[in-house]
């Protein structure tokens, strides 16, 4: 049962640690004020708590009203949950709209994404460098997202693990004869 704090009579006082703290702070405030009056000091040397009342009274809320509030909160929580779920589905659908599952197999030829940085001292401009290097051949599949590739220049020592996001299928150019 929920109860609200309002000013009223002392007979409905509910004991709690908060009330004990309020009483203690009020006592400290009264002691501080009395000490200042006796000493004639105009400076506040102690904590003064004038707005806190040592006694809080409680007004009881009708249990039927409280049950009605809980039912409305449950309905509100269900509504918010439905809206969050529908928003999550819509965002997932929009995010995955252009996603394509790409799978490569052993022996497929691919291009590997290059990672160049521009460097003025070496006259390297990333803008004019090729985005992909290759062709490479898939030598083994470690997982759906990771492949081992080998450059097609005959050197078997140059193998690298590459993420699928850095690979693109190699399509040899067709020359007109």
């Amino acid at each position: 049962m929920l109860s609200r704090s309002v000013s009223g009579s002392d007979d409905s006082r509910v004991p709690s640690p908060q009330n004990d703290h309020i009483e203690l702070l009020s006592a400290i405030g009264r002691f501080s004020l009395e000490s200042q009056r006796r000493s004639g000091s105009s400076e506040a040397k102690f904590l003064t708590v004038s707005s806190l009342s040592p006694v809080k009274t409680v007004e009881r809320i009708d249990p039927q009203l409280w049950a009605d509030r809980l039912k409305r909160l449950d309905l509100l929580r269900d509504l918010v949950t439905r809206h969050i779920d529908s928003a999550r589905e819509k965002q997932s659908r929009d995010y995955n709209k252009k996603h394509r599952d790409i799978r490569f197999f052993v022996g497929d030829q691919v291009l590997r994404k290059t990672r160049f940085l521009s460097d003025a001292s070496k006259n390297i401009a990333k803008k004019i460098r090729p985005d992909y290097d290759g062709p490479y051949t898939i030598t083994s599949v470690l997982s759906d997202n990771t492949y081992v590739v080998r450059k097609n220049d005959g050197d078997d020592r140059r193998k690298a693990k590459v993420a699928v996001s850095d690979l693109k299928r190699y399509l040899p150019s067709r020359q007109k004869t």
Side-chain angles (χ1 to χ4, degrees):
M1 184 177 295
L2 179 72
S3 50
R4 265 188 314 161
S5 298
V6 292
S7 299
S9 63
D10 290 352
D11 59 319
S12 62
R13 183 172 182 266
V14 176
S16 72
Q18 286 180 332
N19 287 340
D20 294 340
H21 290 240
I22 291 170
E23 288 178 11
L24 180 64
L25 288 173
S26 295
I28 292 172
R30 283 192 303 271
F31 175 75
S32 172
L33 289 173
E34 289 173 13
S35 299
Q36 287 177 16
R37 258 187 259 135
R38 279 189 229 135
S39 67
S41 171
S42 62
E43 292 183 14
K45 296 181 182 176
F46 298 98
L47 172 69
T48 59
V49 183
S50 59
S51 64
L52 296 177
S53 170
V55 177
K56 291 284 183 179
T57 57
V58 177
E59 177 185 320
R60 303 288 177 196
I61 295 180
D62 181 30
Q64 186 61 33
L65 179 65
W66 182 243
D68 183 48
R69 284 183 183 177
L70 287 178
K71 285 179 188 174
R72 287 189 295 163
L73 279 174
D74 287 340
L75 291 173
L76 182 62
R77 183 177 50 243
D78 292 343
L79 178 69
V80 169
T81 302
R82 277 186 292 173
H83 282 284
I84 288 173
D85 289 343
S86 67
R88 182 182 299 125
E89 289 173 11
K90 182 183 181 296
Q91 290 166 1
S92 297
R93 190 174 51 249
D94 291 345
Y95 181 81
N96 294 327
K97 194 178 287 185
K98 294 184 180 181
H99 176 74
R100 296 177 290 129
D101 278 335
I102 300 173
R103 297 201 182 221
F104 299 109
F105 301 99
V106 175
D108 286 352
Q109 289 196 337
V110 295
L111 296 174
R112 181 179 177 191
K113 190 171 196 162
T114 58
R115 307 270 186 208
F116 290 111
L117 295 176
S118 296
D119 189 356
S121 64
K122 296 178 184 175
N123 291 330
I124 297 174
K126 179 184 178 198
K127 189 173 186 176
I128 60 173
R129 300 290 289 215
D131 291 334
Y132 288 89
D133 184 32
Y136 289 82
T137 303
I138 303 281
T139 58
S140 66
V141 178
L142 299 179
S143 71
D144 288 342
N145 296 325
T146 309
Y147 297 90
V148 177
V149 296
R150 176 182 45 86
K151 182 101 170 165
N152 288 348
D153 59 3
D155 188 4
D156 287 338
R157 295 176 295 158
R158 292 179 47 185
K159 293 182 179 180
K161 292 181 186 177
V162 183
V164 71
S165 59
D166 290 339
L167 294 176
K168 181 166 89 170
R169 193 168 305 280
Y170 174 67
L171 301 173
S173 61
R174 297 180 189 176
Q175 295 180 358
K176 294 182 182 179
T177 56

